[in-house]
Amino acid sequence: MRARNERLVLSLVRRHQALAKSEIARMTGLSAQTVSVIMRQLEQDGLLLRGEPIRGKVGQPSVPMRLNPEGALFLGLKIGRRSTELVLTDFLGNVRKRERRTYDYPTPVATLDFAREALDKMLSDLPPVERGRVSGLGIAMPYFLWDWAQTLRVPQEKMDPWRTTDIKAALAATNDFPVFLQNDATAACGAELVFGPAEGPRDFLYFYVGYFIGGGVVLNRSIFSGRGNAGALGPLPVPTETGQVQPLIDVASLYVLERSIAGSGDAANLMWESASRWDVPDLHLNNWLKQASLGLAYAIASSCSVIDFNCVKIDGWMPPDIKTRLIEGIEAQLSRINLTGLERPVIHAGSVGPDARSLGAASLPLSEKYLVEA
């Protein structure tokens, strides 16, 4: 119970950025003495920092407490279809170190080699005190990678080794901290939940637009993952301009844009080097935005007929201006869809950005050790 109360306090301080003991006691129903003992211990453990006293009210001045960025460190490994990345984050989700590698397609051997080399480099560069604060490694990767060989245009035998590879166990065997694994799009949704706005919605539908589009479902400030893959969203059937019905993944994923560019003889691989700025031909980009907006609008309408989300968040591996244009396109398409019987949700840009999958991976050990659903 003591450990859970400590995690509850940390969760509330994270959400509200800074809280005094009296505010936490009111929110939790715990006694002022219990809260005082917990916060004193968390401060001694280096997880909380004391703010400046707030005076001017009757009684003792109120002392807000906030999270100590240096209180704990977390590792996040993102395994994608075009790149893999390892990050080291602090308690607030700030990226302290980063190692990245791009490729044509992921293989277990190359992925493990990269992960081990990058982990060794990051950890050996840390002073002993900081090394002791590393609380775990999270892995965000697509499930059933071997099923995507045809879409990736890779010989099936190149992807089949993923069937028998337990990357979580392989990395746990060579490290002394806990290792966690989650679907990459669900992990990105988790990053929005943990590192997003403090007063964000309790329920929302989340889309991450990457090489393949995916997403997540948040209910009562908690990810609903079902048997492990709920909210994947990519397989949702959506109509196209031609009247055909296709999975959302074949309409709104970035691989569609990549192939359109490559088909005209232009270089598309630069899309995966950086998400801050793209040099993408307007014709291909505009066509992709049009069909992705239409597909996402129908996917949102379908999802809201099952659960009445009042908020949808859109994020992805793309520059901010393109994300803005995508959201504007979705809004325009929603206006043309018959939503009778449904409440139209508001569409917001995700707050984490291209790093959502990596930060979502790092949030797995953070959430496991320090947070509760509150």
Side-chain angles (χ1 to χ4, degrees), residues 68-79:
N68 178 8
E70 308 300 321
L73 300 174
F74 309 91
L75 292 155
L77 175 67
K78 184 270 296 184
I79 302 169

Side-chain angles (χ1 to χ4, degrees), residues 183-215:
N183 172 269
D184 57 340
T186 305
C189 184
E192 182 68 29
L193 191 61
V194 173
F195 302 119
E199 296 303 324
R202 297 184 68 88
D203 309 318
F204 61 88
L205 182 67
Y206 176 89
F207 290 89
Y208 186 91
V209 184
Y211 187 85
F212 291 150
I213 192 169

Side-chain angles (χ1 to χ4, degrees), residues 217-299:
V217 171
V218 171
L219 300 175
N220 196 28
R221 293 203 181 102
S222 177
I223 291 178
F224 178 76
S225 56
R227 294 193 299 269
N229 211 32
L233 301 176
L236 267 173
V238 296
T240 65
E241 284 187 308
T242 62
Q244 295 179 313
V245 175
Q246 290 185 279
L248 181 66
I249 201 168
D250 292 332
V251 172
S253 298
L254 289 179
Y255 90 83
V256 179
L257 175 59
E258 178 193 59
R259 290 189 184 166
S260 175
I261 296 170
S264 65
D266 294 309
N269 61 322
L270 295 179
M271 287 173 51
W272 312 113
E273 296 295 338
S274 172
S276 60
R277 182 181 178 276
W278 286 353
D279 185 14
V280 175
D282 287 340
L283 175 63
H284 300 287
L285 178 60
N286 292 338
N287 287 340
W288 177 80
L289 283 169
K290 186 176 181 180
Q291 68 176 17
S293 299
L294 178 64
L296 279 162
Y298 274 103

Side-chain angles (χ1 to χ4, degrees), residues 56 58 94-95 106 108 131 142 155 173 193 225 227 253 287 330 334-336 338 340-341 359 362:
V58 178
N94 301 309
V95 177
R131 174 65 180 82
L193 191 61
S225 56
R227 294 193 299 269
S253 298
N287 287 340
I330 295 169
L334 274 176
S335 298
R336 302 184 182 101
N338 184 353
T340 301
L359 289 178

